[in-house]
Amino acid sequence: MKTGASEISLLGISFEKYLTHAQISEAVKQVAVKINTDYAGREVKFVSVLNGAFMFTSDLLKHITVACTVTFIRAKSYHGMESQGSVSLVTDLSENLKGKEVIILEDIVDTGLTMQKLFERIEKDEPASLKICTLLLKPDTYKGDRNIDYTALSIPNDFIVGYGLDYNELGRNLPDIYKVKP
Ligand code: IMP
């Protein structure tokens, strides 16, 4: 697999370039600006959702100018290109978030099941506030009723890889985002 190529193949499935690294970087920067404005004078605790959000987290935090700390949680719901319909928290939080101003960092909100599970888990800690910031949102498949506080990019219902997102764990290293070819 060649990073930067216009087409790639993972486990025999072809993907075509959909969002360039430059487009993603600009969208990430814009969402950071909104967070900096909304949280001026406050301290944010980011909860990054592994594995998919590692690249987004790294790039977003470079543009955050308010005081912040970051911690991680690990969730799993997808196998191949299918959501399993149930979400498991593979690795729980390593600290209590009571009284913190929490923003969850997700790679993608698809049905919203993972987000729902994360809210339920974190609300148990009684944070002072709790919001979500997602790199990508698939509005056509989102079934939740919670407001998505920050969205960098909205996309159609195509399966995508790259920039942290995977197909059977492959493709996370790609700087651009690719969608499966019809
Ligand atoms: P949800 O629970 O249906 O909202 O799905 C959220 C999780 O599914 C994300 O955190 C991703 O790990 C995974 N996911 C959803 N759509 C895609 C996709 O198009 N490519 C890769 N992973 C995806």
Side-chain angles (χ1 to χ4, degrees), residues 80 104 157:
I104 300 168
N157 183 22

Side-chain angles (χ1 to χ4, degrees), residues 18-153:
Y18 176 56
L19 291 164
T20 65
H21 189 71
Q23 289 172 307
I24 301 164
S25 296
E26 185 51 34
V28 170
K29 200 169 150 189
Q30 292 308 321
V31 94
V33 168
K34 283 191 201 138
I35 292 173
N36 288 333
T37 305
D38 293 354
Y39 286 81
R42 293 148 73 189
E43 182 176 313
V44 181
K45 167 71 76 181
F46 289 107
V47 175
S48 172
V49 185
L50 297 173
N51 293 335
F54 77 92
M55 213 177 269
F56 173 46
T57 302
S58 166
D59 287 346
L60 180 88
L61 263 63
K62 290 171 198 148
H63 297 291
I64 295 295
T65 52
V66 296
C68 68
T69 58
V70 60
T71 192
F72 299 89
I73 193 165
R74 190 161 167 227
K76 193 162 178 65
S77 64
Y78 256 57
H79 182 72
M81 292 191 200
E82 299 294 329
S83 172
Q84 291 175 318
S86 67
V87 184
S88 51
L89 295 181
V90 185
T91 311
D92 199 2
L93 292 164
S94 58
E95 58 187 283
N96 192 285
L97 302 178
K98 190 174 174 67
K100 305 282 184 193
E101 308 251 31
V102 177
I103 302 180
I104 300 168
L105 297 181
E106 259 277 41
D107 54 352
I108 186 164
V109 174
D110 183 355
T111 62
L113 266 178
T114 305
M115 184 183 110
Q116 179 64 28
K117 182 95 176 176
L118 291 164
F119 266 82
E120 284 167 11
R121 165 61 190 89
I122 295 171
E123 274 165 353
K124 281 191 189 150
D125 279 8
E126 300 179 352
S129 65
L130 179 56
K131 290 193 176 182
I132 180 144
C133 173
T134 184
L135 171 69
L136 300 157
L137 169 67
K138 291 181 182 171
D140 297 342
T141 50
Y142 180 57
K143 296 191 188 81
D145 45 19
R146 274 178 205 272
N147 179 40
I148 316 279
D149 305 283
Y150 302 98
T151 302
L153 294 156

Side-chain angles (χ1 to χ4, degrees), residues 155-173:
I155 60 166
N157 183 22
D158 293 310
F159 186 82
I160 54 155
V161 292
Y163 197 77
L165 290 106
D166 73 304
Y167 171 52
N168 280 347
E169 294 302 321
L170 292 170
R172 294 194 195 275
N173 56 311

